[in-house]
Amino acid sequence: MNTKAEMILLAGNSHPELAELIANRIKPLADCRIYKRSEETKVEIGDSIRGKDVFIIQTGSKEPNDNIMELLIMCYACKTSCARNIICVIPYLPYSKQSKMKKRGCIVSKLVAKMLTKAGMTHLITMDLHQKEIQGFFDMPVDNLRAAPFLINYIEHKIPDYRNAVIIARNPSQAKRATAIAERLRLGIAVIHGESEKERESEPDGRTSPPSTVLKPTMESRKSVFQLPNLAFPPRVNPKEKLPMDVVGDVSGKIAIIVEDMIDDVEAFARASDVLRERGAYKIYVMATHGLLSSDAPRIIDGSNIDEVVVTNTVPHEVQKIQCHKIKTVDISLLLSEAIRRIHNQESMSYLFRDITAED
């Protein structure tokens, strides 16, 4: 008979505040020390975890390499200590932005998934993956929770006259996300099209070099084959030209609410707010699940046309909040703690995904 194992909560060093919020709703954190000695990460678990369900709370922060290494060592320590299940609660998965092949790089998020699997992780709880296809990199159950209900609740209760708002997609790829939120709020949408930033300089990587030899077609290959005149090797596609940044949709005299999955490059949002202000938007909000807020984000937000930046607490950003009063936080510990409780009690997770569509 499959009996229910005891639950153990462990937390890494990435976001102790979130871990405490979750623990307050479930049970106290177990004894676990994570520290560095001679620049090497060491993990010491003080409680017995043999035959127990271990939930490890660790998110991504400004030090993703340390976050991943801590998590790997914690997983392996639990595995070698005969834990029954090792469930990792990673609200923001580090390296999730590197989920596509570019030039001679690699898909780093798949590498992270393989390392975590090898270290002993048996189940993943995360939130709003940058690309939903990342779930396929893991050979285990993955629960990709959504923060949209919390952000929608914030709009309804904290934004005065939100009925006069329009949901903004900062680029066409975010149109589905903006549409899903707009339909729930019964609002219209607008899409920002084009780019105002400078073209990214691409260093020569060998792709632009011509072939060393020109192959001449034989008489047999010329038969019944259409050939372009005076062509030595395959034709080159014309490069894309980025259009000037503009807004597709009416934002004049309205509240503009930009929705994204994460806020990292704040300058791009500042430029988008400039365009929205020029088009007549009288108040501009930026809402996202993960507030990475890299480099000098507080200074850029303060000097921009953005009135308020709303993010969840999946990533620690207390220092940025002190530096910029425009940054607001929505607590999502309730959702994570409920997911932990349901998985431990072997209850259905479908309730947490009710009314969630593929576009969310």
PDB file of all heavy atoms in Angstrom, residues 26-60:
ATOM      1  N   ILE A  26       2.443  26.452   5.615  1.00  0.00           N
ATOM      2  CA  ILE A  26       2.471  24.981   5.595  1.00  0.00           C
ATOM      3  C   ILE A  26       3.058  24.426   6.892  1.00  0.00           C
ATOM      4  O   ILE A  26       2.357  23.912   7.743  1.00  0.00           O
ATOM      5  CB  ILE A  26       3.265  24.464   4.374  1.00  0.00           C
ATOM      6  CG1 ILE A  26       2.681  25.035   3.074  1.00  0.00           C
ATOM      7  CG2 ILE A  26       3.252  22.939   4.334  1.00  0.00           C
ATOM      8  CD1 ILE A  26       3.447  24.642   1.843  1.00  0.00           C
ATOM      9  N   LYS A  27       4.357  24.551   7.064  1.00  0.00           N
ATOM     10  CA  LYS A  27       5.055  24.062   8.250  1.00  0.00           C
ATOM     11  C   LYS A  27       6.429  24.716   8.305  1.00  0.00           C
ATOM     12  O   LYS A  27       6.940  25.202   7.280  1.00  0.00           O
ATOM     13  CB  LYS A  27       5.182  22.536   8.228  1.00  0.00           C
ATOM     14  CG  LYS A  27       6.019  21.985   7.089  1.00  0.00           C
ATOM     15  CD  LYS A  27       6.165  20.470   7.161  1.00  0.00           C
ATOM     16  CE  LYS A  27       6.862  20.032   8.416  1.00  0.00           C
ATOM     17  NZ  LYS A  27       7.107  18.585   8.456  1.00  0.00           N
ATOM     18  N   PRO A  28       7.078  24.743   9.461  1.00  0.00           N
ATOM     19  CA  PRO A  28       8.393  25.394   9.568  1.00  0.00           C
ATOM     20  C   PRO A  28       9.439  24.724   8.673  1.00  0.00           C
ATOM     21  O   PRO A  28       9.364  23.528   8.372  1.00  0.00           O
ATOM     22  CB  PRO A  28       8.750  25.231  11.052  1.00  0.00           C
ATOM     23  CG  PRO A  28       7.444  25.030  11.746  1.00  0.00           C
ATOM     24  CD  PRO A  28       6.569  24.291  10.761  1.00  0.00           C
ATOM     25  N   LEU A  29      10.415  25.510   8.270  1.00  0.00           N
ATOM     26  CA  LEU A  29      11.508  24.998   7.450  1.00  0.00           C
ATOM     27  C   LEU A  29      12.386  24.060   8.275  1.00  0.00           C
ATOM     28  O   LEU A  29      12.619  24.285   9.466  1.00  0.00           O
ATOM     29  CB  LEU A  29      12.359  26.155   6.913  1.00  0.00           C
ATOM     30  CG  LEU A  29      11.691  27.100   5.907  1.00  0.00           C
ATOM     31  CD1 LEU A  29      12.567  28.319   5.667  1.00  0.00           C
ATOM     32  CD2 LEU A  29      11.415  26.384   4.597  1.00  0.00           C
ATOM     33  N   ALA A  30      12.870  23.021   7.624  1.00  0.00           N
ATOM     34  CA  ALA A  30      13.787  22.089   8.283  1.00  0.00           C
ATOM     35  C   ALA A  30      15.172  22.712   8.392  1.00  0.00           C
ATOM     36  O   ALA A  30      15.495  23.694   7.712  1.00  0.00           O
ATOM     37  CB  ALA A  30      13.845  20.779   7.503  1.00  0.00           C
ATOM     38  N   ASP A  31      15.996  22.119   9.220  1.00  0.00           N
ATOM     39  CA  ASP A  31      17.359  22.621   9.440  1.00  0.00           C
ATOM     40  C   ASP A  31      18.233  22.305   8.233  1.00  0.00           C
ATOM     41  O   ASP A  31      18.450  21.129   7.904  1.00  0.00           O
ATOM     42  CB  ASP A  31      17.941  21.982  10.699  1.00  0.00           C
ATOM     43  CG  ASP A  31      19.353  22.489  11.003  1.00  0.00           C
ATOM     44  OD1 ASP A  31      19.687  23.593  10.537  1.00  0.00           O
ATOM     45  OD2 ASP A  31      20.106  21.767  11.676  1.00  0.00           O
ATOM     46  N   CYS A  32      18.720  23.357   7.591  1.00  0.00           N
ATOM     47  CA  CYS A  32      19.585  23.182   6.415  1.00  0.00           C
ATOM     48  C   CYS A  32      20.518  24.382   6.316  1.00  0.00           C
ATOM     49  O   CYS A  32      20.057  25.515   6.202  1.00  0.00           O
ATOM     50  CB  CYS A  32      18.747  23.034   5.150  1.00  0.00           C
ATOM     51  SG  CYS A  32      19.727  22.809   3.651  1.00  0.00           S
ATOM     52  N   ARG A  33      21.809  24.115   6.378  1.00  0.00           N
ATOM     53  CA  ARG A  33      22.817  25.183   6.281  1.00  0.00           C
ATOM     54  C   ARG A  33      23.481  25.125   4.912  1.00  0.00           C
ATOM     55  O   ARG A  33      23.942  24.065   4.472  1.00  0.00           O
ATOM     56  CB  ARG A  33      23.875  25.038   7.368  1.00  0.00           C
ATOM     57  CG  ARG A  33      23.357  25.289   8.780  1.00  0.00           C
ATOM     58  CD  ARG A  33      24.463  25.137   9.801  1.00  0.00           C
ATOM     59  NE  ARG A  33      25.530  26.106   9.556  1.00  0.00           N
ATOM     60  CZ  ARG A  33      26.807  25.783   9.415  1.00  0.00           C
ATOM     61  NH1 ARG A  33      27.178  24.495   9.428  1.00  0.00           N
ATOM     62  NH2 ARG A  33      27.719  26.719   9.224  1.00  0.00           N
ATOM     63  N   ILE A  34      23.512  26.279   4.247  1.00  0.00           N
ATOM     64  CA  ILE A  34      24.168  26.403   2.941  1.00  0.00           C
ATOM     65  C   ILE A  34      25.158  27.545   3.050  1.00  0.00           C
ATOM     66  O   ILE A  34      24.775  28.687   3.325  1.00  0.00           O
ATOM     67  CB  ILE A  34      23.159  26.684   1.818  1.00  0.00           C
ATOM     68  CG1 ILE A  34      22.063  25.615   1.815  1.00  0.00           C
ATOM     69  CG2 ILE A  34      23.849  26.727   0.462  1.00  0.00           C
ATOM     70  CD1 ILE A  34      20.901  25.942   0.910  1.00  0.00           C
ATOM     71  N   TYR A  35      26.412  27.243   2.852  1.00  0.00           N
ATOM     72  CA  TYR A  35      27.443  28.274   3.002  1.00  0.00           C
ATOM     73  C   TYR A  35      28.599  27.963   2.054  1.00  0.00           C
ATOM     74  O   TYR A  35      28.643  26.900   1.418  1.00  0.00           O
ATOM     75  CB  TYR A  35      27.938  28.324   4.453  1.00  0.00           C
ATOM     76  CG  TYR A  35      28.498  27.023   4.969  1.00  0.00           C
ATOM     77  CD1 TYR A  35      29.867  26.758   4.929  1.00  0.00           C
ATOM     78  CD2 TYR A  35      27.650  26.048   5.506  1.00  0.00           C
ATOM     79  CE1 TYR A  35      30.372  25.564   5.403  1.00  0.00           C
ATOM     80  CE2 TYR A  35      28.153  24.856   5.984  1.00  0.00           C
ATOM     81  CZ  TYR A  35      29.519  24.614   5.940  1.00  0.00           C
ATOM     82  OH  TYR A  35      30.021  23.429   6.393  1.00  0.00           O
ATOM     83  N   LYS A  36      29.514  28.920   1.964  1.00  0.00           N
ATOM     84  CA  LYS A  36      30.676  28.756   1.100  1.00  0.00           C
ATOM     85  C   LYS A  36      31.941  28.629   1.942  1.00  0.00           C
ATOM     86  O   LYS A  36      32.122  29.352   2.923  1.00  0.00           O
ATOM     87  CB  LYS A  36      30.808  29.937   0.134  1.00  0.00           C
ATOM     88  CG  LYS A  36      29.866  29.874  -1.051  1.00  0.00           C
ATOM     89  CD  LYS A  36      30.249  30.874  -2.120  1.00  0.00           C
ATOM     90  CE  LYS A  36      29.393  30.704  -3.369  1.00  0.00           C
ATOM     91  NZ  LYS A  36      29.805  31.604  -4.454  1.00  0.00           N
ATOM     92  N   ARG A  37      32.785  27.728   1.533  1.00  0.00           N
ATOM     93  CA  ARG A  37      34.095  27.566   2.163  1.00  0.00           C
ATOM     94  C   ARG A  37      35.113  27.364   1.050  1.00  0.00           C
ATOM     95  O   ARG A  37      34.947  26.467   0.218  1.00  0.00           O
ATOM     96  CB  ARG A  37      34.089  26.383   3.130  1.00  0.00           C
ATOM     97  CG  ARG A  37      35.443  26.122   3.781  1.00  0.00           C
ATOM     98  CD  ARG A  37      35.350  25.011   4.813  1.00  0.00           C
ATOM     99  NE  ARG A  37      34.550  25.445   5.960  1.00  0.00           N
ATOM    100  CZ  ARG A  37      34.225  24.626   6.965  1.00  0.00           C
ATOM    101  NH1 ARG A  37      34.609  23.360   6.934  1.00  0.00           N
ATOM    102  NH2 ARG A  37      33.508  25.076   7.977  1.00  0.00           N
ATOM    103  N   SER A  38      36.121  28.216   1.027  1.00  0.00           N
ATOM    104  CA  SER A  38      37.121  28.202  -0.052  1.00  0.00           C
ATOM    105  C   SER A  38      36.448  28.337  -1.412  1.00  0.00           C
ATOM    106  O   SER A  38      36.810  27.659  -2.382  1.00  0.00           O
ATOM    107  CB  SER A  38      37.966  26.920   0.009  1.00  0.00           C
ATOM    108  OG  SER A  38      38.608  26.814   1.258  1.00  0.00           O
ATOM    109  N   GLU A  39      35.416  29.218  -1.460  1.00  0.00           N
ATOM    110  CA  GLU A  39      34.664  29.499  -2.685  1.00  0.00           C
ATOM    111  C   GLU A  39      33.875  28.303  -3.197  1.00  0.00           C
ATOM    112  O   GLU A  39      33.398  28.310  -4.328  1.00  0.00           O
ATOM    113  CB  GLU A  39      35.600  30.022  -3.800  1.00  0.00           C
ATOM    114  CG  GLU A  39      36.265  31.335  -3.480  1.00  0.00           C
ATOM    115  CD  GLU A  39      35.264  32.437  -3.164  1.00  0.00           C
ATOM    116  OE1 GLU A  39      34.246  32.517  -3.856  1.00  0.00           O
ATOM    117  OE2 GLU A  39      35.500  33.202  -2.216  1.00  0.00           O
ATOM    118  N   GLU A  40      33.750  27.256  -2.387  1.00  0.00           N
ATOM    119  CA  GLU A  40      32.949  26.102  -2.767  1.00  0.00           C
ATOM    120  C   GLU A  40      31.674  26.056  -1.925  1.00  0.00           C
ATOM    121  O   GLU A  40      31.698  26.348  -0.731  1.00  0.00           O
ATOM    122  CB  GLU A  40      33.735  24.795  -2.570  1.00  0.00           C
ATOM    123  CG  GLU A  40      34.927  24.653  -3.510  1.00  0.00           C
ATOM    124  CD  GLU A  40      35.628  23.319  -3.334  1.00  0.00           C
ATOM    125  OE1 GLU A  40      35.198  22.540  -2.452  1.00  0.00           O
ATOM    126  OE2 GLU A  40      36.590  23.062  -4.069  1.00  0.00           O
ATOM    127  N   THR A  41      30.573  25.704  -2.562  1.00  0.00           N
ATOM    128  CA  THR A  41      29.284  25.647  -1.879  1.00  0.00           C
ATOM    129  C   THR A  41      29.157  24.345  -1.090  1.00  0.00           C
ATOM    130  O   THR A  41      29.426  23.258  -1.615  1.00  0.00           O
ATOM    131  CB  THR A  41      28.123  25.740  -2.884  1.00  0.00           C
ATOM    132  OG1 THR A  41      28.229  26.961  -3.614  1.00  0.00           O
ATOM    133  CG2 THR A  41      26.783  25.703  -2.168  1.00  0.00           C
ATOM    134  N   LYS A  42      28.772  24.472   0.174  1.00  0.00           N
ATOM    135  CA  LYS A  42      28.587  23.292   1.030  1.00  0.00           C
ATOM    136  C   LYS A  42      27.158  23.288   1.566  1.00  0.00           C
ATOM    137  O   LYS A  42      26.590  24.344   1.868  1.00  0.00           O
ATOM    138  CB  LYS A  42      29.579  23.295   2.186  1.00  0.00           C
ATOM    139  CG  LYS A  42      31.028  23.152   1.752  1.00  0.00           C
ATOM    140  CD  LYS A  42      31.954  23.101   2.941  1.00  0.00           C
ATOM    141  CE  LYS A  42      31.831  21.823   3.734  1.00  0.00           C
ATOM    142  NZ  LYS A  42      32.315  20.633   2.988  1.00  0.00           N
ATOM    143  N   VAL A  43      26.570  22.122   1.653  1.00  0.00           N
ATOM    144  CA  VAL A  43      25.202  21.946   2.145  1.00  0.00           C
ATOM    145  C   VAL A  43      25.210  20.945   3.283  1.00  0.00           C
ATOM    146  O   VAL A  43      25.776  19.850   3.153  1.00  0.00           O
ATOM    147  CB  VAL A  43      24.252  21.467   1.023  1.00  0.00           C
ATOM    148  CG1 VAL A  43      22.880  21.131   1.591  1.00  0.00           C
ATOM    149  CG2 VAL A  43      24.137  22.515  -0.061  1.00  0.00           C
ATOM    150  N   GLU A  44      24.582  21.306   4.402  1.00  0.00           N
ATOM    151  CA  GLU A  44      24.455  20.408   5.548  1.00  0.00           C
ATOM    152  C   GLU A  44      22.996  20.364   5.978  1.00  0.00           C
ATOM    153  O   GLU A  44      22.431  21.385   6.396  1.00  0.00           O
ATOM    154  CB  GLU A  44      25.333  20.888   6.716  1.00  0.00           C
ATOM    155  CG  GLU A  44      26.825  20.831   6.426  1.00  0.00           C
ATOM    156  CD  GLU A  44      27.658  21.335   7.595  1.00  0.00           C
ATOM    157  OE1 GLU A  44      27.035  21.745   8.609  1.00  0.00           O
ATOM    158  OE2 GLU A  44      28.891  21.334   7.489  1.00  0.00           O
ATOM    159  N   ILE A  45      22.366  19.207   5.848  1.00  0.00           N
ATOM    160  CA  ILE A  45      20.967  19.028   6.243  1.00  0.00           C
ATOM    161  C   ILE A  45      20.948  18.431   7.643  1.00  0.00           C
ATOM    162  O   ILE A  45      21.492  17.344   7.881  1.00  0.00           O
ATOM    163  CB  ILE A  45      20.224  18.119   5.243  1.00  0.00           C
ATOM    164  CG1 ILE A  45      20.286  18.735   3.830  1.00  0.00           C
ATOM    165  CG2 ILE A  45      18.769  17.931   5.663  1.00  0.00           C
ATOM    166  CD1 ILE A  45      19.700  17.855   2.746  1.00  0.00           C
ATOM    167  N   GLY A  46      20.315  19.148   8.575  1.00  0.00           N
ATOM    168  CA  GLY A  46      20.352  18.737   9.975  1.00  0.00           C
ATOM    169  C   GLY A  46      19.312  17.713  10.368  1.00  0.00           C
ATOM    170  O   GLY A  46      19.466  17.028  11.379  1.00  0.00           O
ATOM    171  N   ASP A  47      18.244  17.578   9.595  1.00  0.00           N
ATOM    172  CA  ASP A  47      17.155  16.650   9.927  1.00  0.00           C
ATOM    173  C   ASP A  47      17.204  15.413   9.038  1.00  0.00           C
ATOM    174  O   ASP A  47      17.713  15.455   7.916  1.00  0.00           O
ATOM    175  CB  ASP A  47      15.790  17.327   9.778  1.00  0.00           C
ATOM    176  CG  ASP A  47      15.639  18.525  10.706  1.00  0.00           C
ATOM    177  OD1 ASP A  47      16.249  18.498  11.785  1.00  0.00           O
ATOM    178  OD2 ASP A  47      14.918  19.472  10.343  1.00  0.00           O
ATOM    179  N   SER A  48      16.650  14.333   9.550  1.00  0.00           N
ATOM    180  CA  SER A  48      16.574  13.108   8.762  1.00  0.00           C
ATOM    181  C   SER A  48      15.511  13.256   7.676  1.00  0.00           C
ATOM    182  O   SER A  48      14.401  13.727   7.938  1.00  0.00           O
ATOM    183  CB  SER A  48      16.218  11.916   9.655  1.00  0.00           C
ATOM    184  OG  SER A  48      15.973  10.762   8.867  1.00  0.00           O
ATOM    185  N   ILE A  49      15.853  12.882   6.454  1.00  0.00           N
ATOM    186  CA  ILE A  49      14.914  12.988   5.337  1.00  0.00           C
ATOM    187  C   ILE A  49      14.680  11.621   4.673  1.00  0.00           C
ATOM    188  O   ILE A  49      14.078  11.555   3.596  1.00  0.00           O
ATOM    189  CB  ILE A  49      15.422  13.994   4.280  1.00  0.00           C
ATOM    190  CG1 ILE A  49      16.791  13.580   3.751  1.00  0.00           C
ATOM    191  CG2 ILE A  49      15.463  15.398   4.856  1.00  0.00           C
ATOM    192  CD1 ILE A  49      17.288  14.466   2.620  1.00  0.00           C
ATOM    193  N   ARG A  50      15.136  10.571   5.280  1.00  0.00           N
ATOM    194  CA  ARG A  50      14.984   9.223   4.705  1.00  0.00           C
ATOM    195  C   ARG A  50      13.504   8.885   4.532  1.00  0.00           C
ATOM    196  O   ARG A  50      12.714   8.955   5.475  1.00  0.00           O
ATOM    197  CB  ARG A  50      15.662   8.188   5.583  1.00  0.00           C
ATOM    198  CG  ARG A  50      15.578   6.754   5.057  1.00  0.00           C
ATOM    199  CD  ARG A  50      16.277   5.786   5.984  1.00  0.00           C
ATOM    200  NE  ARG A  50      17.703   6.076   6.044  1.00  0.00           N
ATOM    201  CZ  ARG A  50      18.621   5.575   5.214  1.00  0.00           C
ATOM    202  NH1 ARG A  50      18.226   4.751   4.241  1.00  0.00           N
ATOM    203  NH2 ARG A  50      19.880   5.878   5.337  1.00  0.00           N
ATOM    204  N   GLY A  51      13.133   8.512   3.313  1.00  0.00           N
ATOM    205  CA  GLY A  51      11.770   8.101   3.018  1.00  0.00           C
ATOM    206  C   GLY A  51      10.745   9.211   3.073  1.00  0.00           C
ATOM    207  O   GLY A  51       9.544   8.921   3.164  1.00  0.00           O
ATOM    208  N   LYS A  52      11.167  10.469   3.005  1.00  0.00           N
ATOM    209  CA  LYS A  52      10.244  11.596   3.119  1.00  0.00           C
ATOM    210  C   LYS A  52      10.145  12.375   1.807  1.00  0.00           C
ATOM    211  O   LYS A  52      11.009  12.276   0.942  1.00  0.00           O
ATOM    212  CB  LYS A  52      10.699  12.524   4.253  1.00  0.00           C
ATOM    213  CG  LYS A  52      10.714  11.838   5.613  1.00  0.00           C
ATOM    214  CD  LYS A  52      11.211  12.751   6.708  1.00  0.00           C
ATOM    215  CE  LYS A  52      11.256  12.013   8.052  1.00  0.00           C
ATOM    216  NZ  LYS A  52      11.770  12.872   9.143  1.00  0.00           N
ATOM    217  N   ASP A  53       9.057  13.143   1.688  1.00  0.00           N
ATOM    218  CA  ASP A  53       8.885  14.035   0.536  1.00  0.00           C
ATOM    219  C   ASP A  53       9.576  15.357   0.849  1.00  0.00           C
ATOM    220  O   ASP A  53       9.154  16.085   1.754  1.00  0.00           O
ATOM    221  CB  ASP A  53       7.401  14.284   0.260  1.00  0.00           C
ATOM    222  CG  ASP A  53       6.704  13.061  -0.305  1.00  0.00           C
ATOM    223  OD1 ASP A  53       7.409  12.161  -0.805  1.00  0.00           O
ATOM    224  OD2 ASP A  53       5.465  13.004  -0.258  1.00  0.00           O
ATOM    225  N   VAL A  54      10.609  15.661   0.105  1.00  0.00           N
ATOM    226  CA  VAL A  54      11.396  16.869   0.358  1.00  0.00           C
ATOM    227  C   VAL A  54      11.039  17.921  -0.691  1.00  0.00           C
ATOM    228  O   VAL A  54      11.132  17.662  -1.898  1.00  0.00           O
ATOM    229  CB  VAL A  54      12.909  16.572   0.313  1.00  0.00           C
ATOM    230  CG1 VAL A  54      13.704  17.845   0.583  1.00  0.00           C
ATOM    231  CG2 VAL A  54      13.266  15.493   1.322  1.00  0.00           C
ATOM    232  N   PHE A  55      10.625  19.085  -0.231  1.00  0.00           N
ATOM    233  CA  PHE A  55      10.331  20.222  -1.111  1.00  0.00           C
ATOM    234  C   PHE A  55      11.445  21.259  -0.923  1.00  0.00           C
ATOM    235  O   PHE A  55      11.637  21.769   0.183  1.00  0.00           O
ATOM    236  CB  PHE A  55       8.968  20.835  -0.769  1.00  0.00           C
ATOM    237  CG  PHE A  55       7.802  19.958  -1.115  1.00  0.00           C
ATOM    238  CD1 PHE A  55       7.394  18.952  -0.253  1.00  0.00           C
ATOM    239  CD2 PHE A  55       7.118  20.134  -2.310  1.00  0.00           C
ATOM    240  CE1 PHE A  55       6.323  18.139  -0.564  1.00  0.00           C
ATOM    241  CE2 PHE A  55       6.043  19.317  -2.641  1.00  0.00           C
ATOM    242  CZ  PHE A  55       5.647  18.318  -1.773  1.00  0.00           C
ATOM    243  N   ILE A  56      12.156  21.553  -1.999  1.00  0.00           N
ATOM    244  CA  ILE A  56      13.270  22.496  -1.957  1.00  0.00           C
ATOM    245  C   ILE A  56      12.830  23.807  -2.615  1.00  0.00           C
ATOM    246  O   ILE A  56      12.473  23.819  -3.796  1.00  0.00           O
ATOM    247  CB  ILE A  56      14.510  21.930  -2.675  1.00  0.00           C
ATOM    248  CG1 ILE A  56      14.916  20.593  -2.064  1.00  0.00           C
ATOM    249  CG2 ILE A  56      15.658  22.927  -2.607  1.00  0.00           C
ATOM    250  CD1 ILE A  56      16.065  19.910  -2.789  1.00  0.00           C
ATOM    251  N   ILE A  57      12.842  24.893  -1.860  1.00  0.00           N
ATOM    252  CA  ILE A  57      12.424  26.205  -2.373  1.00  0.00           C
ATOM    253  C   ILE A  57      13.671  26.984  -2.755  1.00  0.00           C
ATOM    254  O   ILE A  57      14.485  27.347  -1.898  1.00  0.00           O
ATOM    255  CB  ILE A  57      11.609  26.973  -1.310  1.00  0.00           C
ATOM    256  CG1 ILE A  57      10.411  26.139  -0.852  1.00  0.00           C
ATOM    257  CG2 ILE A  57      11.153  28.309  -1.869  1.00  0.00           C
ATOM    258  CD1 ILE A  57       9.712  26.702   0.365  1.00  0.00           C
ATOM    259  N   GLN A  58      13.823  27.232  -4.034  1.00  0.00           N
ATOM    260  CA  GLN A  58      14.985  27.973  -4.539  1.00  0.00           C
ATOM    261  C   GLN A  58      14.602  28.625  -5.860  1.00  0.00           C
ATOM    262  O   GLN A  58      14.138  27.956  -6.785  1.00  0.00           O
ATOM    263  CB  GLN A  58      16.176  27.030  -4.743  1.00  0.00           C
ATOM    264  CG  GLN A  58      17.410  27.660  -5.336  1.00  0.00           C
ATOM    265  CD  GLN A  58      18.290  28.332  -4.299  1.00  0.00           C
ATOM    266  OE1 GLN A  58      17.795  28.894  -3.338  1.00  0.00           O
ATOM    267  NE2 GLN A  58      19.598  28.288  -4.498  1.00  0.00           N
ATOM    268  N   THR A  59      14.778  29.913  -5.970  1.00  0.00           N
ATOM    269  CA  THR A  59      14.421  30.621  -7.191  1.00  0.00           C
ATOM    270  C   THR A  59      15.657  31.226  -7.833  1.00  0.00           C
ATOM    271  O   THR A  59      16.769  31.131  -7.297  1.00  0.00           O
ATOM    272  CB  THR A  59      13.380  31.724  -6.884  1.00  0.00           C
ATOM    273  OG1 THR A  59      12.875  32.248  -8.123  1.00  0.00           O
ATOM    274  CG2 THR A  59      14.000  32.863  -6.086  1.00  0.00           C
ATOM    275  N   GLY A  60      15.475  31.841  -8.989  1.00  0.00           N
ATOM    276  CA  GLY A  60      16.577  32.532  -9.645  1.00  0.00           C
ATOM    277  C   GLY A  60      16.684  33.959  -9.140  1.00  0.00           C
ATOM    278  O   GLY A  60      15.682  34.598  -8.847  1.00  0.00           O
TER     279      GLY A  60
END
